[in-house]
Amino acid sequence: MKEIVMAKKPKMLADLFHEQLKDVFYAENKILKTLPKMQKAAHAKDLNAAFSKHERETRGQVTRLNKVFKMIGKPARGKVCDAINGIVEEGAEVMKDFKGMPALDAGLLAAAQAVEHYEMARYGTLRTWAEELGYPEAAALLDATLKEEKATDKALTQMAKSVINLKAEGA
Ligand SMILES: [Fe+2]
């Protein structure tokens, strides 16, 4: 039988909340660096505009996260998020492999939707935890970002249905 030598300090939901806040803070900053590259690569006007709009939104999202860190009395710091690094890496691969090709925009769009879905998962969880932990103001900020990510995802879906995939098919 294992002997419990010394009880570690139990990790609570508040610790988990802080960890995931650092994760999404890292992710947003990574996305901020990536969006201009995606915007530059996009051919379709609509997609180009969507990327630049989302870059502006992302700046606001980082500001919200800074506020949430303040509300929980922690410094705004990120923690390497392998998931977003992987998604961004895949997007970079598409940009390289499909450079100048008709399907490039469809690939960029797919990469952007993967990013949005990752963020939607994170913000949905964080918002719920903020409520659980008794941070209603933080929950409201996280919810505002969640709504933006969802709207962006929806806009991207519309684009996928309209122009971009048709072009990729050579229509
Ligand atoms: Fe975001």
PDB file of all heavy atoms in Angstrom, residues 117-147:
ATOM      1  N   HIS A 117     -13.265  27.151 -33.153  1.00  0.00           N
ATOM      2  CA  HIS A 117     -13.872  26.079 -32.359  1.00  0.00           C
ATOM      3  C   HIS A 117     -13.069  25.784 -31.108  1.00  0.00           C
ATOM      4  O   HIS A 117     -13.641  25.490 -30.052  1.00  0.00           O
ATOM      5  CB  HIS A 117     -14.097  24.822 -33.209  1.00  0.00           C
ATOM      6  CG  HIS A 117     -15.326  24.938 -34.048  1.00  0.00           C
ATOM      7  ND1 HIS A 117     -16.458  24.193 -33.832  1.00  0.00           N
ATOM      8  CD2 HIS A 117     -15.612  25.778 -35.074  1.00  0.00           C
ATOM      9  CE1 HIS A 117     -17.384  24.564 -34.698  1.00  0.00           C
ATOM     10  NE2 HIS A 117     -16.891  25.515 -35.467  1.00  0.00           N
ATOM     11  N   TYR A 118     -11.766  25.879 -31.212  1.00  0.00           N
ATOM     12  CA  TYR A 118     -10.942  25.695 -30.013  1.00  0.00           C
ATOM     13  C   TYR A 118     -11.292  26.781 -28.992  1.00  0.00           C
ATOM     14  O   TYR A 118     -11.514  26.500 -27.813  1.00  0.00           O
ATOM     15  CB  TYR A 118      -9.438  25.755 -30.360  1.00  0.00           C
ATOM     16  CG  TYR A 118      -8.594  25.597 -29.131  1.00  0.00           C
ATOM     17  CD1 TYR A 118      -8.447  24.343 -28.534  1.00  0.00           C
ATOM     18  CD2 TYR A 118      -8.000  26.698 -28.506  1.00  0.00           C
ATOM     19  CE1 TYR A 118      -7.712  24.194 -27.358  1.00  0.00           C
ATOM     20  CE2 TYR A 118      -7.275  26.548 -27.337  1.00  0.00           C
ATOM     21  CZ  TYR A 118      -7.127  25.300 -26.773  1.00  0.00           C
ATOM     22  OH  TYR A 118      -6.423  25.143 -25.611  1.00  0.00           O
ATOM     23  N   GLU A 119     -11.364  28.006 -29.481  1.00  0.00           N
ATOM     24  CA  GLU A 119     -11.658  29.123 -28.582  1.00  0.00           C
ATOM     25  C   GLU A 119     -13.062  29.008 -27.985  1.00  0.00           C
ATOM     26  O   GLU A 119     -13.278  29.303 -26.812  1.00  0.00           O
ATOM     27  CB  GLU A 119     -11.524  30.441 -29.329  1.00  0.00           C
ATOM     28  CG  GLU A 119     -10.098  30.744 -29.718  1.00  0.00           C
ATOM     29  CD  GLU A 119      -9.983  32.099 -30.347  1.00  0.00           C
ATOM     30  OE1 GLU A 119     -10.619  32.333 -31.392  1.00  0.00           O
ATOM     31  OE2 GLU A 119      -9.275  32.935 -29.792  1.00  0.00           O
ATOM     32  N   MET A 120     -14.014  28.589 -28.806  1.00  0.00           N
ATOM     33  CA  MET A 120     -15.385  28.439 -28.303  1.00  0.00           C
ATOM     34  C   MET A 120     -15.423  27.412 -27.162  1.00  0.00           C
ATOM     35  O   MET A 120     -16.100  27.622 -26.146  1.00  0.00           O
ATOM     36  CB  MET A 120     -16.322  28.013 -29.433  1.00  0.00           C
ATOM     37  CG  MET A 120     -16.776  29.179 -30.297  1.00  0.00           C
ATOM     38  SD  MET A 120     -17.188  28.740 -32.008  1.00  0.00           S
ATOM     39  CE  MET A 120     -18.463  27.539 -31.784  1.00  0.00           C
ATOM     40  N   ALA A 121     -14.683  26.342 -27.323  1.00  0.00           N
ATOM     41  CA  ALA A 121     -14.639  25.318 -26.269  1.00  0.00           C
ATOM     42  C   ALA A 121     -14.060  25.911 -24.986  1.00  0.00           C
ATOM     43  O   ALA A 121     -14.617  25.746 -23.893  1.00  0.00           O
ATOM     44  CB  ALA A 121     -13.804  24.130 -26.730  1.00  0.00           C
ATOM     45  N   ARG A 122     -12.960  26.619 -25.132  1.00  0.00           N
ATOM     46  CA  ARG A 122     -12.295  27.197 -23.956  1.00  0.00           C
ATOM     47  C   ARG A 122     -13.158  28.256 -23.265  1.00  0.00           C
ATOM     48  O   ARG A 122     -13.320  28.250 -22.051  1.00  0.00           O
ATOM     49  CB  ARG A 122     -10.959  27.832 -24.361  1.00  0.00           C
ATOM     50  CG  ARG A 122      -9.839  26.832 -24.520  1.00  0.00           C
ATOM     51  CD  ARG A 122      -9.387  26.370 -23.146  1.00  0.00           C
ATOM     52  NE  ARG A 122      -8.357  25.369 -23.249  1.00  0.00           N
ATOM     53  CZ  ARG A 122      -8.552  24.064 -23.091  1.00  0.00           C
ATOM     54  NH1 ARG A 122      -9.747  23.594 -22.840  1.00  0.00           N
ATOM     55  NH2 ARG A 122      -7.548  23.227 -23.172  1.00  0.00           N
ATOM     56  N   TYR A 123     -13.684  29.186 -24.049  1.00  0.00           N
ATOM     57  CA  TYR A 123     -14.452  30.283 -23.446  1.00  0.00           C
ATOM     58  C   TYR A 123     -15.761  29.790 -22.832  1.00  0.00           C
ATOM     59  O   TYR A 123     -16.206  30.332 -21.818  1.00  0.00           O
ATOM     60  CB  TYR A 123     -14.718  31.395 -24.471  1.00  0.00           C
ATOM     61  CG  TYR A 123     -13.533  32.305 -24.657  1.00  0.00           C
ATOM     62  CD1 TYR A 123     -12.776  32.281 -25.814  1.00  0.00           C
ATOM     63  CD2 TYR A 123     -13.141  33.181 -23.639  1.00  0.00           C
ATOM     64  CE1 TYR A 123     -11.668  33.106 -25.984  1.00  0.00           C
ATOM     65  CE2 TYR A 123     -12.039  34.005 -23.792  1.00  0.00           C
ATOM     66  CZ  TYR A 123     -11.311  33.960 -24.971  1.00  0.00           C
ATOM     67  OH  TYR A 123     -10.219  34.772 -25.115  1.00  0.00           O
ATOM     68  N   GLY A 124     -16.353  28.772 -23.452  1.00  0.00           N
ATOM     69  CA  GLY A 124     -17.579  28.218 -22.877  1.00  0.00           C
ATOM     70  C   GLY A 124     -17.309  27.664 -21.482  1.00  0.00           C
ATOM     71  O   GLY A 124     -18.055  27.937 -20.530  1.00  0.00           O
ATOM     72  N   THR A 125     -16.229  26.921 -21.379  1.00  0.00           N
ATOM     73  CA  THR A 125     -15.848  26.338 -20.086  1.00  0.00           C
ATOM     74  C   THR A 125     -15.494  27.430 -19.082  1.00  0.00           C
ATOM     75  O   THR A 125     -15.966  27.415 -17.937  1.00  0.00           O
ATOM     76  CB  THR A 125     -14.633  25.401 -20.276  1.00  0.00           C
ATOM     77  OG1 THR A 125     -14.978  24.398 -21.232  1.00  0.00           O
ATOM     78  CG2 THR A 125     -14.216  24.754 -18.980  1.00  0.00           C
ATOM     79  N   LEU A 126     -14.665  28.361 -19.518  1.00  0.00           N
ATOM     80  CA  LEU A 126     -14.211  29.420 -18.605  1.00  0.00           C
ATOM     81  C   LEU A 126     -15.378  30.261 -18.087  1.00  0.00           C
ATOM     82  O   LEU A 126     -15.416  30.638 -16.912  1.00  0.00           O
ATOM     83  CB  LEU A 126     -13.187  30.321 -19.303  1.00  0.00           C
ATOM     84  CG  LEU A 126     -11.767  29.757 -19.399  1.00  0.00           C
ATOM     85  CD1 LEU A 126     -10.931  30.581 -20.380  1.00  0.00           C
ATOM     86  CD2 LEU A 126     -11.083  29.732 -18.040  1.00  0.00           C
ATOM     87  N   ARG A 127     -16.317  30.542 -18.972  1.00  0.00           N
ATOM     88  CA  ARG A 127     -17.478  31.335 -18.554  1.00  0.00           C
ATOM     89  C   ARG A 127     -18.263  30.598 -17.456  1.00  0.00           C
ATOM     90  O   ARG A 127     -18.621  31.177 -16.434  1.00  0.00           O
ATOM     91  CB  ARG A 127     -18.380  31.614 -19.750  1.00  0.00           C
ATOM     92  CG  ARG A 127     -19.618  32.427 -19.392  1.00  0.00           C
ATOM     93  CD  ARG A 127     -20.737  32.199 -20.348  1.00  0.00           C
ATOM     94  NE  ARG A 127     -20.973  30.778 -20.559  1.00  0.00           N
ATOM     95  CZ  ARG A 127     -21.754  30.288 -21.519  1.00  0.00           C
ATOM     96  NH1 ARG A 127     -22.346  31.097 -22.357  1.00  0.00           N
ATOM     97  NH2 ARG A 127     -21.921  28.992 -21.653  1.00  0.00           N
ATOM     98  N   THR A 128     -18.488  29.312 -17.675  1.00  0.00           N
ATOM     99  CA  THR A 128     -19.223  28.517 -16.696  1.00  0.00           C
ATOM    100  C   THR A 128     -18.469  28.466 -15.365  1.00  0.00           C
ATOM    101  O   THR A 128     -19.061  28.619 -14.291  1.00  0.00           O
ATOM    102  CB  THR A 128     -19.437  27.085 -17.236  1.00  0.00           C
ATOM    103  OG1 THR A 128     -20.073  27.188 -18.508  1.00  0.00           O
ATOM    104  CG2 THR A 128     -20.299  26.262 -16.296  1.00  0.00           C
ATOM    105  N   TRP A 129     -17.176  28.261 -15.443  1.00  0.00           N
ATOM    106  CA  TRP A 129     -16.377  28.192 -14.208  1.00  0.00           C
ATOM    107  C   TRP A 129     -16.367  29.533 -13.478  1.00  0.00           C
ATOM    108  O   TRP A 129     -16.398  29.574 -12.249  1.00  0.00           O
ATOM    109  CB  TRP A 129     -14.948  27.752 -14.518  1.00  0.00           C
ATOM    110  CG  TRP A 129     -14.841  26.299 -14.855  1.00  0.00           C
ATOM    111  CD1 TRP A 129     -15.826  25.359 -14.757  1.00  0.00           C
ATOM    112  CD2 TRP A 129     -13.686  25.609 -15.357  1.00  0.00           C
ATOM    113  NE1 TRP A 129     -15.355  24.139 -15.169  1.00  0.00           N
ATOM    114  CE2 TRP A 129     -14.053  24.256 -15.537  1.00  0.00           C
ATOM    115  CE3 TRP A 129     -12.387  26.008 -15.684  1.00  0.00           C
ATOM    116  CZ2 TRP A 129     -13.171  23.297 -16.015  1.00  0.00           C
ATOM    117  CZ3 TRP A 129     -11.497  25.059 -16.153  1.00  0.00           C
ATOM    118  CH2 TRP A 129     -11.884  23.724 -16.318  1.00  0.00           C
ATOM    119  N   ALA A 130     -16.311  30.630 -14.253  1.00  0.00           N
ATOM    120  CA  ALA A 130     -16.320  31.952 -13.619  1.00  0.00           C
ATOM    121  C   ALA A 130     -17.618  32.138 -12.828  1.00  0.00           C
ATOM    122  O   ALA A 130     -17.609  32.670 -11.712  1.00  0.00           O
ATOM    123  CB  ALA A 130     -16.169  33.044 -14.677  1.00  0.00           C
ATOM    124  N   GLU A 131     -18.713  31.648 -13.406  1.00  0.00           N
ATOM    125  CA  GLU A 131     -20.004  31.731 -12.693  1.00  0.00           C
ATOM    126  C   GLU A 131     -19.954  30.894 -11.421  1.00  0.00           C
ATOM    127  O   GLU A 131     -20.343  31.344 -10.335  1.00  0.00           O
ATOM    128  CB  GLU A 131     -21.134  31.224 -13.592  1.00  0.00           C
ATOM    129  CG  GLU A 131     -21.570  32.242 -14.636  1.00  0.00           C
ATOM    130  CD  GLU A 131     -22.442  31.613 -15.724  1.00  0.00           C
ATOM    131  OE1 GLU A 131     -22.751  30.412 -15.634  1.00  0.00           O
ATOM    132  OE2 GLU A 131     -22.792  32.339 -16.674  1.00  0.00           O
ATOM    133  N   GLU A 132     -19.456  29.663 -11.567  1.00  0.00           N
ATOM    134  CA  GLU A 132     -19.359  28.742 -10.427  1.00  0.00           C
ATOM    135  C   GLU A 132     -18.518  29.335  -9.291  1.00  0.00           C
ATOM    136  O   GLU A 132     -18.802  29.141  -8.121  1.00  0.00           O
ATOM    137  CB  GLU A 132     -18.696  27.423 -10.862  1.00  0.00           C
ATOM    138  CG  GLU A 132     -19.536  26.571 -11.771  1.00  0.00           C
ATOM    139  CD  GLU A 132     -20.720  25.953 -11.040  1.00  0.00           C
ATOM    140  OE1 GLU A 132     -20.495  25.437  -9.930  1.00  0.00           O
ATOM    141  OE2 GLU A 132     -21.838  26.014 -11.564  1.00  0.00           O
ATOM    142  N   LEU A 133     -17.451  30.018  -9.708  1.00  0.00           N
ATOM    143  CA  LEU A 133     -16.495  30.534  -8.729  1.00  0.00           C
ATOM    144  C   LEU A 133     -16.920  31.876  -8.130  1.00  0.00           C
ATOM    145  O   LEU A 133     -16.236  32.418  -7.262  1.00  0.00           O
ATOM    146  CB  LEU A 133     -15.105  30.670  -9.375  1.00  0.00           C
ATOM    147  CG  LEU A 133     -14.413  29.337  -9.733  1.00  0.00           C
ATOM    148  CD1 LEU A 133     -13.258  29.571 -10.697  1.00  0.00           C
ATOM    149  CD2 LEU A 133     -13.929  28.612  -8.479  1.00  0.00           C
ATOM    150  N   GLY A 134     -18.039  32.394  -8.614  1.00  0.00           N
ATOM    151  CA  GLY A 134     -18.547  33.656  -8.060  1.00  0.00           C
ATOM    152  C   GLY A 134     -17.875  34.895  -8.624  1.00  0.00           C
ATOM    153  O   GLY A 134     -17.640  35.867  -7.910  1.00  0.00           O
ATOM    154  N   TYR A 135     -17.549  34.822  -9.928  1.00  0.00           N
ATOM    155  CA  TYR A 135     -17.010  36.003 -10.620  1.00  0.00           C
ATOM    156  C   TYR A 135     -17.969  36.389 -11.750  1.00  0.00           C
ATOM    157  O   TYR A 135     -17.671  36.157 -12.924  1.00  0.00           O
ATOM    158  CB  TYR A 135     -15.641  35.714 -11.231  1.00  0.00           C
ATOM    159  CG  TYR A 135     -14.539  35.402 -10.268  1.00  0.00           C
ATOM    160  CD1 TYR A 135     -13.920  34.136 -10.270  1.00  0.00           C
ATOM    161  CD2 TYR A 135     -14.049  36.363  -9.386  1.00  0.00           C
ATOM    162  CE1 TYR A 135     -12.874  33.839  -9.408  1.00  0.00           C
ATOM    163  CE2 TYR A 135     -13.003  36.075  -8.516  1.00  0.00           C
ATOM    164  CZ  TYR A 135     -12.425  34.809  -8.538  1.00  0.00           C
ATOM    165  OH  TYR A 135     -11.393  34.525  -7.685  1.00  0.00           O
ATOM    166  N   PRO A 136     -19.113  36.959 -11.415  1.00  0.00           N
ATOM    167  CA  PRO A 136     -20.095  37.247 -12.471  1.00  0.00           C
ATOM    168  C   PRO A 136     -19.590  38.228 -13.531  1.00  0.00           C
ATOM    169  O   PRO A 136     -19.929  38.115 -14.704  1.00  0.00           O
ATOM    170  CB  PRO A 136     -21.296  37.813 -11.704  1.00  0.00           C
ATOM    171  CG  PRO A 136     -20.765  38.220 -10.369  1.00  0.00           C
ATOM    172  CD  PRO A 136     -19.607  37.337 -10.081  1.00  0.00           C
ATOM    173  N   GLU A 137     -18.747  39.184 -13.100  1.00  0.00           N
ATOM    174  CA  GLU A 137     -18.242  40.156 -14.084  1.00  0.00           C
ATOM    175  C   GLU A 137     -17.273  39.495 -15.057  1.00  0.00           C
ATOM    176  O   GLU A 137     -17.272  39.792 -16.256  1.00  0.00           O
ATOM    177  CB  GLU A 137     -17.565  41.327 -13.365  1.00  0.00           C
ATOM    178  CG  GLU A 137     -18.580  42.260 -12.747  1.00  0.00           C
ATOM    179  CD  GLU A 137     -17.948  43.277 -11.820  1.00  0.00           C
ATOM    180  OE1 GLU A 137     -16.712  43.410 -11.817  1.00  0.00           O
ATOM    181  OE2 GLU A 137     -18.713  43.923 -11.089  1.00  0.00           O
ATOM    182  N   ALA A 138     -16.459  38.610 -14.534  1.00  0.00           N
ATOM    183  CA  ALA A 138     -15.530  37.866 -15.389  1.00  0.00           C
ATOM    184  C   ALA A 138     -16.337  36.990 -16.350  1.00  0.00           C
ATOM    185  O   ALA A 138     -16.026  36.899 -17.538  1.00  0.00           O
ATOM    186  CB  ALA A 138     -14.587  37.018 -14.548  1.00  0.00           C
ATOM    187  N   ALA A 139     -17.389  36.368 -15.818  1.00  0.00           N
ATOM    188  CA  ALA A 139     -18.239  35.505 -16.651  1.00  0.00           C
ATOM    189  C   ALA A 139     -18.846  36.307 -17.796  1.00  0.00           C
ATOM    190  O   ALA A 139     -18.905  35.827 -18.927  1.00  0.00           O
ATOM    191  CB  ALA A 139     -19.339  34.874 -15.800  1.00  0.00           C
ATOM    192  N   ALA A 140     -19.261  37.546 -17.516  1.00  0.00           N
ATOM    193  CA  ALA A 140     -19.862  38.392 -18.555  1.00  0.00           C
ATOM    194  C   ALA A 140     -18.830  38.735 -19.631  1.00  0.00           C
ATOM    195  O   ALA A 140     -19.144  38.726 -20.830  1.00  0.00           O
ATOM    196  CB  ALA A 140     -20.432  39.663 -17.930  1.00  0.00           C
ATOM    197  N   LEU A 141     -17.608  39.015 -19.224  1.00  0.00           N
ATOM    198  CA  LEU A 141     -16.547  39.333 -20.197  1.00  0.00           C
ATOM    199  C   LEU A 141     -16.243  38.113 -21.066  1.00  0.00           C
ATOM    200  O   LEU A 141     -16.090  38.217 -22.287  1.00  0.00           O
ATOM    201  CB  LEU A 141     -15.266  39.775 -19.478  1.00  0.00           C
ATOM    202  CG  LEU A 141     -15.295  41.143 -18.788  1.00  0.00           C
ATOM    203  CD1 LEU A 141     -14.011  41.356 -17.988  1.00  0.00           C
ATOM    204  CD2 LEU A 141     -15.457  42.259 -19.817  1.00  0.00           C
ATOM    205  N   LEU A 142     -16.154  36.964 -20.433  1.00  0.00           N
ATOM    206  CA  LEU A 142     -15.848  35.730 -21.165  1.00  0.00           C
ATOM    207  C   LEU A 142     -16.989  35.375 -22.113  1.00  0.00           C
ATOM    208  O   LEU A 142     -16.765  34.888 -23.220  1.00  0.00           O
ATOM    209  CB  LEU A 142     -15.573  34.591 -20.177  1.00  0.00           C
ATOM    210  CG  LEU A 142     -14.305  34.788 -19.328  1.00  0.00           C
ATOM    211  CD1 LEU A 142     -14.314  33.868 -18.111  1.00  0.00           C
ATOM    212  CD2 LEU A 142     -13.041  34.564 -20.155  1.00  0.00           C
ATOM    213  N   ASP A 143     -18.206  35.675 -21.685  1.00  0.00           N
ATOM    214  CA  ASP A 143     -19.370  35.410 -22.519  1.00  0.00           C
ATOM    215  C   ASP A 143     -19.383  36.330 -23.743  1.00  0.00           C
ATOM    216  O   ASP A 143     -19.754  35.904 -24.841  1.00  0.00           O
ATOM    217  CB  ASP A 143     -20.651  35.582 -21.700  1.00  0.00           C
ATOM    218  CG  ASP A 143     -21.867  35.104 -22.479  1.00  0.00           C
ATOM    219  OD1 ASP A 143     -21.875  33.920 -22.861  1.00  0.00           O
ATOM    220  OD2 ASP A 143     -22.782  35.909 -22.724  1.00  0.00           O
ATOM    221  N   ALA A 144     -18.968  37.571 -23.541  1.00  0.00           N
ATOM    222  CA  ALA A 144     -18.917  38.518 -24.663  1.00  0.00           C
ATOM    223  C   ALA A 144     -17.932  38.005 -25.723  1.00  0.00           C
ATOM    224  O   ALA A 144     -18.217  38.060 -26.928  1.00  0.00           O
ATOM    225  CB  ALA A 144     -18.494  39.898 -24.161  1.00  0.00           C
ATOM    226  N   THR A 145     -16.807  37.497 -25.281  1.00  0.00           N
ATOM    227  CA  THR A 145     -15.831  36.949 -26.229  1.00  0.00           C
ATOM    228  C   THR A 145     -16.379  35.691 -26.896  1.00  0.00           C
ATOM    229  O   THR A 145     -16.255  35.524 -28.112  1.00  0.00           O
ATOM    230  CB  THR A 145     -14.502  36.636 -25.517  1.00  0.00           C
ATOM    231  OG1 THR A 145     -13.935  37.868 -25.060  1.00  0.00           O
ATOM    232  CG2 THR A 145     -13.511  35.966 -26.449  1.00  0.00           C
ATOM    233  N   LEU A 146     -17.006  34.842 -26.108  1.00  0.00           N
ATOM    234  CA  LEU A 146     -17.594  33.619 -26.672  1.00  0.00           C
ATOM    235  C   LEU A 146     -18.557  33.958 -27.809  1.00  0.00           C
ATOM    236  O   LEU A 146     -18.549  33.322 -28.864  1.00  0.00           O
ATOM    237  CB  LEU A 146     -18.306  32.823 -25.563  1.00  0.00           C
ATOM    238  CG  LEU A 146     -19.007  31.540 -25.982  1.00  0.00           C
ATOM    239  CD1 LEU A 146     -18.012  30.520 -26.540  1.00  0.00           C
ATOM    240  CD2 LEU A 146     -19.753  30.915 -24.802  1.00  0.00           C
ATOM    241  N   LYS A 147     -19.353  34.997 -27.595  1.00  0.00           N
ATOM    242  CA  LYS A 147     -20.321  35.406 -28.624  1.00  0.00           C
ATOM    243  C   LYS A 147     -19.604  35.872 -29.895  1.00  0.00           C
ATOM    244  O   LYS A 147     -20.046  35.578 -31.006  1.00  0.00           O
ATOM    245  CB  LYS A 147     -21.228  36.514 -28.080  1.00  0.00           C
ATOM    246  CG  LYS A 147     -22.227  35.972 -27.071  1.00  0.00           C
ATOM    247  CD  LYS A 147     -23.448  36.873 -26.952  1.00  0.00           C
ATOM    248  CE  LYS A 147     -24.525  36.221 -26.109  1.00  0.00           C
ATOM    249  NZ  LYS A 147     -24.381  36.489 -24.662  1.00  0.00           N
TER     250      LYS A 147
END
